[in-house]
């Protein structure tokens, strides 16, 4: 399973890249705003800075909602770097744009997906990635992970190549369950990735090993 980090924070992207397990980055307008990035030039420069750090796909989201401007914006973003994946919302104009980008060989990530029907449309339009938001479904007392299971089944039934990018991942259990189901990618905060490291028996076991080693060495 590929690991993407869901942030626009350069420090956290560097930390995940240094860990050696990072396969890409996803951003969205809220994450850019959280880092205080605004204005077309600053946003573009920030995407360039992210691409310089990471080896892998970097999702950059369009903010237009009409077909002409989604295309215009997406083409500008795609020109920035081969790593850029144009992130397009699951709306009618977005589906049409994904079809166009796909015919031009431009990678896309269909975002704000909350149902299997939306995921089916994204695959038919030729999206490279589909982003079901599992955490936000959990937030409204709907099982986000069962949506990943449904999409996996549907895509496997027909051999769709669109990759399932489990998004809005909040914690280690989401990551593990997504891996069991067979999501192609997960994107989440650095904290969720780092939680995978943790087990109390690892900590107590290591402390014991080091203590025994020191005792044997007469320290
Ligand atoms: O980037 C899209 C998605 O991962 C958002 O996650 O935590 O804001 O629901 P979250």
């Amino acid at each position: 399973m590929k690991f993407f980090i869901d942030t626009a924070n350069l420090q956290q992207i560097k930390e995940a890249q240094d860990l050696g397990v990072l396969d890409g980055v996803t951003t969205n307008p809220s994450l850019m705003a959280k880092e205080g990035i605004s204005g077309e030039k600053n946003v573009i420069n920030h995407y360039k800075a992210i691409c310089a750090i990471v080896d892998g796909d970097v999702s950059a989201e369009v903010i237009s909602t009409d077909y002409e401007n989604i295309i215009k914006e997406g083409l500008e973003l795609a020109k920035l770097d081969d790593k850029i994946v144009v992130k397009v919302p699951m709306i009618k104009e977005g589906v049409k744009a994904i079809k166009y980008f796909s015919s031009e060989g431009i990678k896309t990530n269909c975002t704000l997906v909350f149902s299997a029907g939306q995921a089916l449309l994204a695959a038919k339009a030729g999206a490279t990635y589909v982003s079901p938001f599992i955490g936000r479904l959990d937030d409204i007392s709907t099982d986000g992970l069962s949506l990943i299971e449904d999409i996996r089944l549907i895509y496997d039934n027909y051999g769709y190549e669109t990759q399932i990018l489990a998004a809005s991942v909040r914690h280690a259990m989401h990551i593990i369950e997504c891996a069991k189901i067979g999501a192609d990618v997960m994107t989440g905060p650095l904290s969720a990735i780092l939680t995978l490291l943790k087990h109390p028996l690892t900590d107590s076991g290591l402390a014991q090993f080091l203590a025994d080693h020191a005792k044997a060495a007469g320290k």
Side-chain angles (χ1 to χ4, degrees):
M1 181 166 66
K2 286 192 263 186
F3 275 24
F4 288 0
I5 188 170
D6 197 29
T7 185
N9 182 287
L10 298 181
Q11 213 39 54
Q12 290 188 14
I13 294 169
K14 275 190 195 118
E15 193 177 333
Q17 177 69 27
D18 286 349
L19 192 61
V21 299
L22 191 66
D23 301 296
V25 176
T26 51
T27 63
N28 62 42
S30 302
L31 293 171
M32 295 293 270
K34 197 172 159 194
E35 298 307 315
I37 311 296
S38 65
E40 200 180 329
K41 206 172 164 201
N42 291 334
V43 168
I44 293 294
N45 285 338
H46 203 71
Y47 285 136
K48 286 183 182 167
I50 293 173
C51 288
I53 298 170
V54 70
D55 293 327
D57 284 348
V58 174
S59 286
E61 187 159 341
V62 298
I63 45 159
S64 303
T65 54
D66 64 288
Y67 180 75
E68 303 294 329
N69 282 307
I70 293 174
I71 299 296
K72 196 170 155 219
E73 226 188 300
L75 291 175
E76 289 297 320
L77 290 169
K79 265 197 313 202
L80 296 178
D81 197 294
D82 285 347
K83 296 171 187 169
I84 292 286
V85 176
V86 181
K87 202 172 180 190
V88 181
M90 170 39 78
I91 54 175
K92 197 172 171 188
E93 302 290 288
V95 172
K96 282 162 60 180
I98 288 169
K99 182 73 187 173
Y100 171 78
F101 288 133
S102 149
S103 71
E104 294 294 308
I106 292 169
K107 292 178 285 188
T108 54
N109 175 354
C110 183
T111 189
L112 289 165
V113 166
F114 293 93
S115 77
Q118 292 178 323
L120 182 54
L121 266 181
K124 284 192 69 67
T128 314
Y129 298 101
V130 64
S131 286
F133 281 23
I134 60 176
R136 291 193 193 184
L137 281 171
D138 289 357
D139 289 345
I140 57 159
S141 304
T142 304
D143 185 2
L145 288 166
S146 75
L147 175 59
I148 303 294
E149 278 175 341
D150 288 348
I151 300 172
R152 180 76 283 156
L153 176 68
I154 292 167
Y155 282 10
D156 289 350
N157 278 349
Y158 296 96
Y160 287 122
E161 287 178 9
T162 298
Q163 296 179 55
I164 303 172
L165 195 172
S168 186
V169 157
R170 301 274 167 78
H171 44 70
M173 281 306 289
H174 270 157
I175 301 176
I176 293 157
E177 291 304 317
C178 282
K180 282 158 71 177
I181 294 164
D184 301 286
V185 192
M186 81 81 205
T187 191
L190 181 63
S191 58
I193 297 172
L194 294 180
T195 309
L196 294 175
L197 283 166
K198 285 290 165 197
H199 196 286
L201 291 178
T202 304
D203 297 340
S204 60
L206 180 61
Q208 186 67 55
F209 286 156
L210 295 180
D212 288 344
H213 171 77
K215 202 169 153 192
K219 287 181 191 168

